[in-house]
Amino acid sequence: MIDAIVEAIRLAVTRIPDDVVSALREAYEREDNDVARFNLGNILRAIEIGRTESIPVCQDTGTLTFFVEAGVESPFLGEVKDWLVEATRKATTEIPLRPNAVDVLTGENSGDNTGKDVPVIHWELVPGDAIRIAVLPKGGGSENCSALAMLTPGEGWEGVKRFVVERIKACGGKPCPPVVLGIGVGGGADYSLLLAKKALLRRVGERNPDERIAEIEGELLEEINALGVGPMGMGGKTTALDVKIEVTHRHPASFPVGLIVQCWANRRAFVRIKPDGRVEVWQ
Ligand code: SF4
């Protein structure tokens, strides 16, 4: 099981998913700004090298974040956490990953990407006997542009758009655009950010099944690309490849908006562990 999780981590950090690559290629094709084309060309080259040489596409291999959908009848529930921690250690040495876990007081690096509550594991209990693990390595530069807004209900969806557009404009090239945005609206401060991060697991180009939300995703994408921040913040037509919004009910007095910014290195992979011990890894 540990080796299968290491394989998923390797897939995530060395191979950018096809939907992301297609969106980057389309951005390259429609771009007429030379600097933007140069930057997109370099990004596509880094992706190709990662894929053919099986090496990480970016030196920042991120903080490993796992979303676990744990079937309540799985015989492995009690072991998954240990497997994830051990796989993180093994992946750090074998792939290798950059050691990215430091003590918040001393700054000392643990050296193996583990530490207090790291790797980050989000749990959801689901019916059934299988366990699905999503692997999301999250780079620090883009994470630094993530933010939370506690809007008033009166500000509503116009307020959401204003907050997101202003934040992306202020961040410029810091999150290594073209970015993918995960946005969680509703719940509370904590849950909106969790929804936002989980939204990044959706494929680029896939709209929210609720047509009203899908429309807002499209409008926000257009507004962000109209900013002209462009690839790596040096101008151009594509600042964002996609916008993913997830919603949940909210307190009548609150309108929380969690924004998680993901860079062009929009990495993910999945593992499914069946009750008989068989394992699938995919992207
Ligand atoms: S933000 Fe993303 S692309 Fe930029 S250095 Fe970090 S992981 Fe790499």
Side-chain angles (χ1 to χ4, degrees):
M1 303 299 179
I2 291 170
D3 285 342
I5 299 165
V6 171
E7 236 7 80
I9 297 170
R10 186 191 306 277
L11 189 61
V13 299
T14 61
R15 207 184 125 115
I16 297 292
D18 291 344
D19 50 292
V20 183
V21 178
S22 298
L24 285 163
R25 283 211 186 102
E26 282 166 26
Y28 179 83
E29 293 305 329
R30 71 172 164 262
E31 188 56 74
D32 47 28
N33 172 319
D34 286 346
V35 177
R37 272 177 79 85
F38 177 76
N39 281 324
L40 285 167
N42 281 341
I43 288 170
L44 287 164
R45 246 189 312 280
I47 290 171
E48 191 51 35
I49 292 169
R51 197 173 277 234
T52 51
E53 298 189 18
S54 199
I55 56 173
V57 293
C58 180
Q59 39 75 35
D60 180 2
T61 46
T63 293
L64 283 177
T65 306
F66 298 104
F67 290 89
V68 182
E69 288 178 5
V72 288
E73 290 166 53
S74 167
F76 304 119
L77 279 185
E79 295 165 85
V80 177
K81 184 177 178 192
D82 289 345
W83 291 342
L84 293 174
V85 173
E86 202 39 50
T88 298
R89 289 198 178 105
K90 206 168 174 201
T92 302
T93 314
E94 287 185 6
I95 294 175
L97 306 177
R98 191 174 80 182
N100 274 341
V102 299
D103 184 288
V104 287
L105 292 173
T106 64
E108 190 185 341
N109 196 316
S110 69
D112 62 6
N113 279 304
T114 70
K116 185 168 176 4
D117 296 328
V118 172
V120 178
I121 306 172
H122 298 292
W123 294 91
E124 187 184 347
L125 290 175
V126 297
D129 54 13
I131 293 177
R132 190 191 87 147
I133 301 165
V135 184
L136 177 72
K138 188 65 181 63
S142 55
E143 189 72 353
N144 289 347
C145 288
S146 299
L148 170 73
M150 297 304 290
L151 303 180
T152 60
E155 291 173 282
W157 285 95
E158 281 312 308
V160 174
K161 286 187 187 168
R162 198 167 44 246
F163 160 62
V164 173
V165 171
E166 280 173 9
R167 183 72 186 160
I168 297 306
K169 187 177 175 188
C171 277
K174 285 185 203 157
C176 297
V179 292
V180 177
L181 303 180
I183 300 169
V185 180
D190 55 346
Y191 197 57
S192 66
L193 282 164
L194 179 59
L195 279 178
K197 190 157 274 185
K198 203 172 172 190
L200 297 175
L201 295 173
R202 284 167 48 195
R203 292 171 66 80
V204 167
E206 176 196 302
R207 285 275 153 266
N208 188 298
D210 182 327
E211 282 178 17
R212 298 165 304 170
I213 304 295
E215 200 177 321
I216 300 169
E217 288 177 338
E219 288 167 2
L220 248 178
L221 182 60
E222 240 174 71
E223 283 187 40
I224 288 161
N225 283 333
L227 289 171
V229 171
M232 305 311 286
M234 298 174 82
K237 290 183 178 171
T238 309
T239 302
L241 299 176
D242 210 353
V243 173
K244 308 294 192 193
I245 302 177
E246 295 292 332
V247 297
T248 186
H249 279 56
R250 60 176 173 81
H251 186 285
S254 299
F255 209 106
V257 187
L259 168 66
I260 300 288
V261 182
Q262 177 66 300
C263 52
W264 64 262
N266 184 23
R267 298 162 281 193
R268 62 167 187 261
F270 300 90
V271 183
R272 181 175 289 107
I273 302 170
K274 298 184 178 168
D276 59 6
R278 280 178 303 144
V279 182
E280 277 175 70
V281 176
W282 78 100
Q283 196 165 36

